Amino acid sequence: MMPMPADPAAAATLGQEAGRAMQAGRIAEARALLVRATELAPDQAALWLHLAATCRASGDYAAALIALEQTLRVEPRHFQALLMKATLIEREGRMREAAQAFGVALTQAPPDERLDPTTRGVVQRGRALNQRYLLELRTHLDRQLLAAAPADAESQRLAQFLDTTLGLKPRVQQNPSNYFYPGLPPIEFWPREPFPWLAELEAATPAIQAELAAVLASQQGFTPYVDYAEGIPLDQWAALNHSLDWSAFHFYHYGQRYPDNCARCPQTMQALSRLPQPAVEGRMPAAMFSVLKPHTRIPPHTGVANVRLVVHLPLIVPPGCGYRVGNVTREWRVGEAFVFDDTIEHEAWNDSDQTRVILIADIWHPYLSARERELIGKAMIEMDRFNGVTTPLPL
């Protein structure tokens, strides 16, 4: 049989007649009209979707699915078609397939507030079904792949791979605000192996704590960690700008040495001297006691340069403190140092009634060669000289 010649105008008229028939409860008539309409305008997604809804209303779910496939042939990202397809698969009891179909539909869903109440309810049900399916799949993979595996860095990376592949957690990316050096991996918390000096730093904890106690007793030398001038967009930093709720006792800041502070903490300076800290005029190194007062939160943010990593040595950590980098959340433990990438979004909180203090220092990224470190430093300096920069950007 020869296909009918396209006639979009006639198809639109038939679609309108089908709508009136549906309102009057004449479902069979509406379906017949829509079949004719789709023959006259086979590339009209709205007509196919209308036909699918009519078939569904008559209880012919197989025909409704066929009509939905035609809708998606014309518009593969049609949200309503994808959502209806998922509900029909769910109705047939194919729950895993339905959960996956809902997952596809949700990628095209507008914000909930833009949906009518009925559609919003379907979306919420689909979201819950999809999430339950993903968690069941994740549990299965855990049993098959990780249950007997050692709790080492490779297992942690595999666990993150599973989470991001299934969409349970976002993919971690470096997002330095200024300096992005290619080829450096985005690792939230680094394993200890590349940093053999960590144990020596940790061994100095009691001596550093003793010097910190004297510094805290004097209350001299602390400055707000966030200290932006007027006219700078504050965004998430408004509450902390010029505030001692998050303060620093600097040893190095923008590469500048604070001799009085250093003199007060010789054991701390000796411990820092063993770290591979960068030395770039006006930029690095940085080292400080970071003091977070009770019930203070440091909002999510990223650092400036991925050519360095950051070391934390916890010194005073009351219960209720935490730290998130990317998808990984940790508690500080006094005397247990770690290294992380601060160009991955991170945040911190002190929900306790006591002060939290960390020794913070930056180090060169271990993947950079000596030549790269030298040239990166020169590049930063030359950029500043060319632009006449005298006040460095926060690092």
Side-chain angles (χ1 to χ4, degrees):
M1 179 182 294
M2 293 291 293
M4 297 179 63
D7 190 344
T13 299
L14 290 171
Q16 293 170 359
E17 293 178 9
R20 290 191 288 271
M22 280 291 290
Q23 289 179 348
R26 303 191 302 274
I27 298 175
E29 178 185 343
R31 178 173 175 175
L33 289 167
L34 288 166
V35 168
R36 288 167 55 197
T38 56
E39 291 172 346
L40 292 171
D43 290 333
Q44 295 291 321
L47 291 174
W48 285 111
L49 184 63
H50 195 176
L51 177 58
T54 304
C55 294
R56 181 183 61 180
S58 67
D60 191 346
Y61 304 128
L65 282 169
I66 292 172
L68 287 172
E69 293 298 339
Q70 292 298 318
T71 309
L72 296 170
R73 174 187 61 82
V74 179
E75 293 187 24
R77 294 183 175 86
H78 197 297
F79 166 62
Q80 291 291 349
L82 291 168
L83 189 65
M84 189 187 301
K85 179 180 177 180
T87 62
L88 290 175
I89 296 172
E90 180 190 18
R91 185 185 292 270
E92 293 182 349
R94 295 180 280 156
M95 302 309 291
R96 286 184 180 174
E97 187 179 345
Q100 295 175 69
F102 274 118
V104 174
L106 291 169
T107 65
Q108 306 302 317
D112 283 4
E113 59 269 18
R114 288 171 49 192
L115 300 173
D116 63 82
T118 300
T119 304
R120 188 183 308 122
V122 175
V123 164
Q124 291 171 350
R125 187 180 78 246
R127 190 177 289 133
L129 180 62
N130 178 258
Q131 186 73 6
R132 186 162 61 250
Y133 155 76
L134 292 174
L135 291 174
E136 289 173 355
L137 176 55
R138 182 68 168 83
T139 300
H140 168 77
L141 292 170
D142 275 348
R143 286 196 298 263
Q144 297 299 316
L145 303 174
L146 292 170
D152 56 13
E154 290 181 353
S155 294
Q156 292 174 8
R157 287 199 299 273
L158 179 60
Q160 289 184 308
F161 160 73
L162 297 177
D163 283 335
T164 56
T165 299
L166 298 180
L168 292 169
K169 293 181 179 178
R171 295 177 184 176
V172 169
Q173 301 291 336
Q174 294 173 325
N175 188 30
S177 59
N178 284 71
Y179 304 106
F180 176 77
Y181 198 81
L184 303 180
I187 300 173
E188 293 113 312
F189 291 95
W190 278 67
R192 294 176 64 90
E193 289 74 17
F195 316 106
W197 40 263
L198 275 176
E200 192 173 5
L201 175 65
E202 291 168 336
T205 299
I208 296 172
Q209 286 176 316
E211 293 178 342
L212 169 64
V215 167
L216 290 174
S218 73
Q219 290 297 308
Q220 299 297 313
F222 291 91
T223 59
Y225 189 95
V226 182
D227 191 21
Y228 288 113
E230 292 185 8
I232 300 295
L234 295 178
D235 299 325
Q236 75 269 39
W237 299 114
L240 288 173
N241 196 35
H242 307 314
S243 171
L244 289 174
D245 286 348
W246 183 21
S247 63
F249 183 85
H250 291 290
F251 302 108
Y252 296 100
H253 194 37
Y254 301 137
Q256 176 185 348
R257 189 173 186 271
Y258 283 60
D260 291 344
N261 290 356
C262 293
R264 294 167 65 183
C265 301
Q267 296 298 313
T268 303
M269 296 308 298
Q270 185 175 354
L272 289 172
S273 70
R274 299 186 177 95
L275 273 59
Q277 287 201 271
V280 178
E281 179 185 340
R283 295 290 173 179
M284 301 180 281
M288 75 205 79
F289 291 140
S290 170
V291 179
L292 196 63
K293 286 191 175 179
H295 306 290
T296 302
R297 301 185 73 88
I298 300 171
H301 63 287
T302 58
V304 172
N306 72 334
V307 299
R308 65 168 195 180
L309 299 175
V310 178
V311 182
H312 276 194
L313 177 64
L315 301 172
I316 300 175
V317 184
C321 295
Y323 198 60
R324 178 187 67 85
V325 183
N327 290 326
V328 183
T329 298
R330 286 190 178 182
E331 293 181 357
W332 289 286
R333 292 184 173 87
V334 171
E336 293 185 16
F338 58 74
V339 179
F340 71 98
D341 186 337
D342 79 331
T343 65
I344 297 169
E345 183 185 77
H346 56 287
E347 61 181 327
W349 54 91
N350 178 3
D351 292 337
S352 77
D353 295 325
Q354 304 170 55
T355 296
R356 181 234 69 180
V357 186
I358 308 290
L359 174 64
I360 298 179
D362 57 359
I363 59 170
W364 277 118
H365 196 291
Y367 281 23
L368 296 172
S369 67
R371 178 172 178 269
E372 285 177 307
R373 295 176 184 184
E374 179 184 358
L375 293 176
I376 288 167
K378 287 183 177 180
M380 291 181 176
I381 291 170
E382 291 304 323
M383 289 179 202
D384 286 346
R385 288 177 179 171
F386 185 86
N387 293 317
V389 173
T390 56
T391 301
L393 296 170
L395 276 171

